């Protein structure tokens, strides 16, 4: 009987640079904006497989790789102030590309609804600063 053990480990450091342009700011509590981001990322990865047959272990794969990618994203979003220091946000990133590789956008075969769902980002913010 053969038993396989697969392991993979990836480490990445990335820097996200984002710009937002507010289009509409209704009652100063619902800003609607367009956003664009660029994110350079450097990473290393290692993948290996060990196979054990009759209590003898051998390494079948041991692959290491490193590299740099640059991702670009653009879309629109809005913030909504819920309380004085607490707000919620939603972004739709309709454009997502890896500028250094063509394999980043793995949602290319899906319909518009599935792409929109994968492009949705929802978050909450709490302001720690002093409010006057």
């Amino acid at each position: 009987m053969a038993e396989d053990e697969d392991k993979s480990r990836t480490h990445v450091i990335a820097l996200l640079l984002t710009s937002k342009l507010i289009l509409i700011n209704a009652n100063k509590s619902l800003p609607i904006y367009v956003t664009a981001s660029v994110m350079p990322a450097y990473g290393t990865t290692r993948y290996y497989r060990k196979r054990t047959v009759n209590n003898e272990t051998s390494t079948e794969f041991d692959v290491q790789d490193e590299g740099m990618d640059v991702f670009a994203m653009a879309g629109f979003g809005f913030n909504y102030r819920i309380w004085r220091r607490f707000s919620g946000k939603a972004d739709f990133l309709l454009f997502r590309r890896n500028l250094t590789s063509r394999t980043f956008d793995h949602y290319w075969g899906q319909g518009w609804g599935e792409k929109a769902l994968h492009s949705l980002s929802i978050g909450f913010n709490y302001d720690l600063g002093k409010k006057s």
Side-chain angles (χ1 to χ4, degrees), residues 106-115 118:
H106 52 88
Y107 303 119
W108 64 269
Q110 296 176 341
W112 185 88
E114 288 179 274
K115 282 184 183 180
H118 287 128

Side-chain angles (χ1 to χ4, degrees), residues 17-71:
L17 304 170
T18 301
S19 176
K20 293 181 181 179
L21 174 65
I22 297 174
L23 300 174
I24 301 169
N25 195 359
N27 296 330
K28 301 221 181 237
S29 65
L30 183 66
I32 299 172
Y33 54 85
V34 293
T35 182
S37 300
V38 64
M39 183 178 65
Y42 172 78
T44 61
T45 188
R46 180 179 180 203
Y47 169 76
Y48 65 91
R49 171 183 284 174
K50 290 183 180 179
R51 174 167 275 191
T52 303
V53 179
N54 297 328
N55 293 329
E56 291 185 28
T57 302
S58 63
T59 301
E60 289 192 334
F61 301 120
D62 192 353
V63 180
Q64 296 180 6
D65 196 11
E66 65 182 69
M68 179 88 174
D69 283 326
V70 179
F71 301 94

